[in-house]
Amino acid sequence: MKNTITLHDLSFEKFITKTNVQHAVNGVAVRLNEDYRGKCPVFLTVLNGAFLFSSELIKKFDHDCELSFIKVASYEGTQQSDEIHTVMGAEPSLKGRDVIVVEDIVDSGNTVETIIKILKDEEVASFKIATLLYKPEAYKKPYKIDYIGLEVPNDFVVGYGLDYNGLGRNLTSIYKLKESTMTNLVLFGPPGAGKGTQAEVLKEKYNLVHISTGDVFRYNIKNATELGTLAKSYIDKGQLVPDSVTIKMLNAEVEKNADAKGFIFDGFPRTEAQAEALAVLLASKNTGVSGMVALEVDDEVLVQRLLERGKTSGRADDADEAVIRNRIKVYYAETAILKGFYEKQDKYHGVDGVGTVSEITDRLSKVIDTL
Ligand code: AMP
């Protein structure tokens, strides 16, 4: 089985192998066989997560036993998230029985506490708690957990009955959420603000992969690809290439650099749809945009800079003042709103974009070092 898996939008890495899970189940079974010799306990399985552990456990249990099931749920999304209610009660009555509660995982202990209250109300003869996984760092309750398969740190885990939004229960190994240490910068600002120049310096300084959507389009135009021909019709007029085309291309560029420590996105996102697509893409790598760093430069300075650059850049869209002004207009009409998009997430950082290259790098670095 694979070492890394994706469930919905998140990646998980293998944490406990199938063999080690089996060892843990066996260990609990051996102890139960000793402790319940001559008794006929009821295994009370806590649904849904514990069903796999429970089914393996009872197959290894050598004495008579009965089965019962209980389902409890927390009131998620409310302030009483610690409060738990019964969705499905144990049948038939557990009164006077020796009960083995079977749990997949004990973390805060809220579920265990609820079940113990139920068992006391039912006047059981005795009860013990058996769990496959136990998180000592998260457990806050005074009740003894009698049988523990494995102790695990306080990570989010899936597999062997445990799920992430419904998926992962059928995995035979246990996986934990992959941590990300990536730095992903959105370098922002109007055309001519100096994004490309700064990206060249910053990518070396921070060991990041620089993706300039404008550069990728120009590469495609030069090589007369289908994408290039399509993009050219928009670029020559100073308009934006449609989102669907740009997003697909950006995704492919990111996937080409699977081992990157992080990215500098230059010229992307330029619309809200692109910003949302970027969030989804990075979430699939358990990461996100670390911050938007924006170079702020006056419009007239931009026009002069671009006309100057047009003398040597060979870019048709830099040579014509009308196209330049249209690019700046498109920036304010369609792209500038992204300032608000990232401001809402506390990720917008404006930097004065007028000065020498190294002065501006220093200003950007001061921001990046805090992200
Ligand atoms: P740039 O090199 O970033 O100034 O981009 C040059 C041109 O490429 C823009 O004027 C657009 O026509 C096109 N382009 C680059 N990035 C994007 C994007 N994220 N969305 C749509 N069009 C883009």
Side-chain angles (χ1 to χ4, degrees):
M1 200 161 310
K2 281 191 276 179
N3 281 330
T4 301
I5 54 158
T6 303
L7 300 174
H8 297 294
D9 56 339
L10 296 181
S11 300
F12 295 82
E13 59 195 345
K14 195 178 275 182
F15 177 47
I16 305 169
T17 62
K18 181 178 171 178
T19 312
N20 286 342
V21 172
Q22 291 305 324
H23 281 318
V25 177
N26 286 343
V28 174
V30 165
R31 290 184 56 208
L32 288 173
N33 276 323
E34 278 170 17
D35 294 354
Y36 283 85
R37 186 165 297 140
K39 292 184 181 159
C40 177
V42 179
F43 281 89
L44 179 65
T45 302
V46 184
L47 294 175
N48 294 330
F51 80 102
L52 254 182
F53 175 43
S54 168
S55 88
E56 289 295 312
L57 204 55
I58 58 162
K59 281 187 268 179
K60 296 175 198 299
F61 190 69
D62 298 332
H63 319 297
D64 284 346
C65 66
E66 289 181 34
L67 307 184
S68 187
F69 300 88
I70 190 166
K71 187 166 180 168
V72 295
S74 53
Y75 296 94
E76 274 168 37
T78 76
Q79 285 178 329
Q80 304 158 296
S81 58
D82 278 358
E83 203 178 304
I84 292 192
H85 66 285
T86 310
V87 175
M88 185 183 106
E91 294 275 346
S93 165
L94 299 171
K95 190 172 167 128
R97 303 300 306 266
D98 295 310
V99 176
I100 303 166
V101 176
V102 185
E103 267 279 33
D104 49 353
I105 187 161
V106 172
D107 47 31
S108 69
N110 289 333
T111 305
V112 164
E113 180 167 66
T114 305
I115 288 172
I116 289 177
K117 264 190 216 139
I118 295 170
L119 296 179
K120 286 185 174 161
D121 287 349
E122 290 254 335
E123 298 174 352
V124 299
S126 74
F127 67 84
K128 293 274 170 77
I129 312 285
T131 185
L132 177 63
L133 303 179
Y134 170 65
K135 288 184 176 175
E137 289 161 40
Y139 191 62
K140 294 190 214 85
K141 304 291 178 187
Y143 318 104
K144 185 175 174 221
I145 307 300
D146 307 276
Y147 304 94
I148 293 170
L150 287 162
E151 286 194 2
V152 290
N154 203 2
D155 294 310
F156 187 71
V157 288
V158 295
Y160 205 80
L162 291 136
D163 74 312
Y164 165 53
N165 278 351
L167 297 184
R169 295 195 196 274
N170 56 327
L171 298 165
T172 48
S173 304
I174 291 177
Y175 292 76
K176 74 171 180 183
L177 189 62
K178 235 175 149 178
E179 300 289 341
S180 168
T181 51
M182 285 172 88
T183 303
N184 299 302
L185 306 175
V186 172
L187 199 51
F188 195 63
K195 301 188 292 291
T197 308
Q198 290 301 326
E200 286 304 316
V201 184
L202 296 174
K203 76 172 187 190
E204 298 300 334
K205 183 165 178 188
Y206 292 97
N207 190 18
L208 303 173
V209 172
H210 172 209
I211 299 180
S212 154
T213 40
D215 284 350
V216 181
F217 283 134
R218 282 185 288 277
Y219 177 83
N220 277 274
I221 294 171
K222 202 168 140 211
N223 290 285
T225 66
E226 206 180 313
L227 172 66
T229 312
L230 174 70
K232 191 172 181 336
S233 60
Y234 296 93
I235 293 176
D236 283 352
K237 288 184 240 145
Q239 294 168 351
L240 293 188
V241 178
D243 281 340
S244 57
V245 176
T246 309
I247 289 168
K248 196 167 154 217
M249 181 189 89
L250 190 278
N251 281 4
E253 289 298 313
V254 169
E255 294 307 340
K256 271 189 213 162
N257 293 284
D259 298 329
K261 245 188 93 239
F263 293 93
I264 299 176
F265 297 103
D266 161 9
F268 188 96
R270 265 173 152 103
T271 64
E272 202 157 312
Q274 292 181 13
E276 277 159 10
L278 182 62
V280 170
L281 174 68
L282 294 179
S284 75
K285 305 188 176 309
N286 299 345
T287 184
V289 168
S290 317
M292 167 181 263
V293 274
L295 292 168
E296 292 163 347
V297 181
D298 228 45
D299 290 357
E300 286 314 309
V301 177
L302 295 173
V303 175
Q304 291 317 313
R305 274 191 192 176
L306 288 173
L307 283 171
E308 203 46 44
R309 185 171 84 181
K311 290 180 188 163
T312 53
S313 72
R315 284 178 55 170
D317 63 346
D318 282 351
D320 181 334
E321 186 168 336
V323 174
I324 290 174
R325 290 202 181 271
N326 193 44
R327 285 158 63 198
I328 295 172
K329 201 173 110 208
V330 168
Y331 172 79
Y332 285 110
E334 301 186 44
T335 304
I337 50 151
L338 290 183
K339 177 177 175 182
F341 182 94
Y342 287 105
E343 253 171 358
K344 267 192 239 145
Q345 302 174 25
D346 250 350
K347 288 183 180 170
Y348 179 87
H349 308 274
V351 166
D352 179 4
V354 182
T356 65
V357 171
S358 67
E359 277 167 358
I360 298 168
T361 306
D362 286 348
R363 289 176 206 150
L364 290 169
S365 301
K366 276 206 187 93
V367 172
I368 296 167
D369 292 340
T370 67
L371 299 178

